[in-house]
Amino acid sequence: LITVVNMTYGFLMEGMNRRAIKMMFDQYVPPAHIDAMLDDPDNYNFDGESKELSVLFADIRGFTSISEALSASELKTFLNDFFTSITSIIFDNNGTIDKYVGDMVMAFWGAPIQDPDHRRNSVMAGLEMLAKTEELKIGFAEQGLPEVNIGIGINSGFMNVGDMGSTYRRSYT
């Protein structure tokens, strides 16, 4: 009976850990990263750590003028289309989405999954984002939307990363 209880408890705890990891990282990291994390959950936690990472910031140039020229619904669609394309590129290059703030996206490489090529992957993502923006310009112009241009900044070095925030809202940042 004790063995059955221990096995059941272990099974339930493993399931809870898997769900916690999936819920925490589902919107931030590529699905392949989540699968790797679920295969070895003991190597991943939400504790803060200092490690070498690369971080990318990208924002839309002249966004205030763009936002003033569009209705709220048009602006939402415009941003969703832009961020969907950009997020796909970040995920394709093994990046983790940190946050979206207005017209800005912040992403990093090297956490929660180790990435020895974090510098290269972040730069490749930035270059692909610039190329994708040129494609988006054509589609946006066909829809009568304003021209979109972006600025990108990338930095590599030691950073603190982990689950941070308050008791009300937290994020892996």
Side-chain angles (χ1 to χ4, degrees), residues 107-123:
F108 54 86
W109 282 257
I113 301 286
Q114 290 283 73
D115 182 2
D117 293 326
H118 61 88
R119 291 173 202 83
R120 181 186 181 284
N121 289 334
S122 64
V123 170

Side-chain angles (χ1 to χ4, degrees), residues 66-123:
I66 292 172
S67 66
E68 291 170 348
L70 300 175
S71 70
S73 178
E74 290 170 327
L75 184 61
K76 179 188 74 91
T77 301
F78 176 85
L79 284 174
N80 286 346
D81 290 347
F82 174 76
F83 283 137
T84 297
S85 297
I86 297 305
T87 299
S88 176
I89 291 168
I90 291 168
F91 282 178
D92 289 347
N93 286 280
N94 298 316
T96 298
I97 298 293
D98 187 327
K99 61 184 64 101
Y100 305 101
V101 179
D103 65 313
M104 187 269 301
V105 62
M106 179 180 168
F108 54 86
W109 282 257
I113 301 286
Q114 290 283 73
D115 182 2
D117 293 326
H118 61 88
R119 291 173 202 83
R120 181 186 181 284
N121 289 334
S122 64
V123 170

Side-chain angles (χ1 to χ4, degrees), residues 1-168:
L1 181 61
I2 290 173
T3 301
V4 170
V5 168
N6 281 337
M7 287 178 60
T8 303
Y9 177 77
F11 177 77
L12 291 174
M13 290 306 293
E14 180 180 339
M16 286 175 46
N17 286 341
R18 291 175 71 86
R19 281 189 300 278
I21 288 171
K22 183 159 176 49
M23 285 175 50
M24 181 68 185
F25 291 105
D26 200 26
Q27 295 181 6
Y28 304 106
V29 299
H33 282 23
I34 294 174
D35 292 339
M37 294 167 70
L38 292 176
D39 289 343
D40 191 13
D42 293 336
N43 279 338
Y44 303 98
N45 60 57
F46 306 125
D47 296 339
E49 60 182 321
S50 181
K51 60 191 306 187
E52 190 171 355
L53 307 171
S54 291
V55 64
L56 175 148
F57 297 88
D59 72 335
I60 297 173
R61 298 296 185 211
F63 182 71
T64 301
S65 299
I66 292 172
S67 66
E68 291 170 348
L70 300 175
S71 70
S73 178
E74 290 170 327
L75 184 61
K76 179 188 74 91
T77 301
F78 176 85
L79 284 174
N80 286 346
D81 290 347
F82 174 76
F83 283 137
T84 297
S85 297
I86 297 305
T87 299
S88 176
I89 291 168
I90 291 168
F91 282 178
D92 289 347
N93 286 280
N94 298 316
T96 298
I97 298 293
D98 187 327
K99 61 184 64 101
Y100 305 101
V101 179
D103 65 313
M104 187 269 301
V105 62
M106 179 180 168
F108 54 86
W109 282 257
I113 301 286
Q114 290 283 73
D115 182 2
D117 293 326
H118 61 88
R119 291 173 202 83
R120 181 186 181 284
N121 289 334
S122 64
V123 170
M124 292 306 298
L127 293 171
E128 289 177 30
M129 290 165 66
L130 290 170
K132 185 63 175 182
T133 300
E134 293 303 314
E135 289 177 28
L136 290 172
K137 282 182 189 183
I138 297 166
F140 287 163
E142 290 172 354
Q143 298 173 49
L145 295 170
E147 183 175 292
V148 63
N149 292 293
I150 62 171
I152 298 173
I154 299 173
N155 189 31
S156 295
F158 281 91
M159 302 173 204
N160 292 322
V161 63
D163 183 35
M164 300 176 204
S166 70
T167 56
Y168 301 103

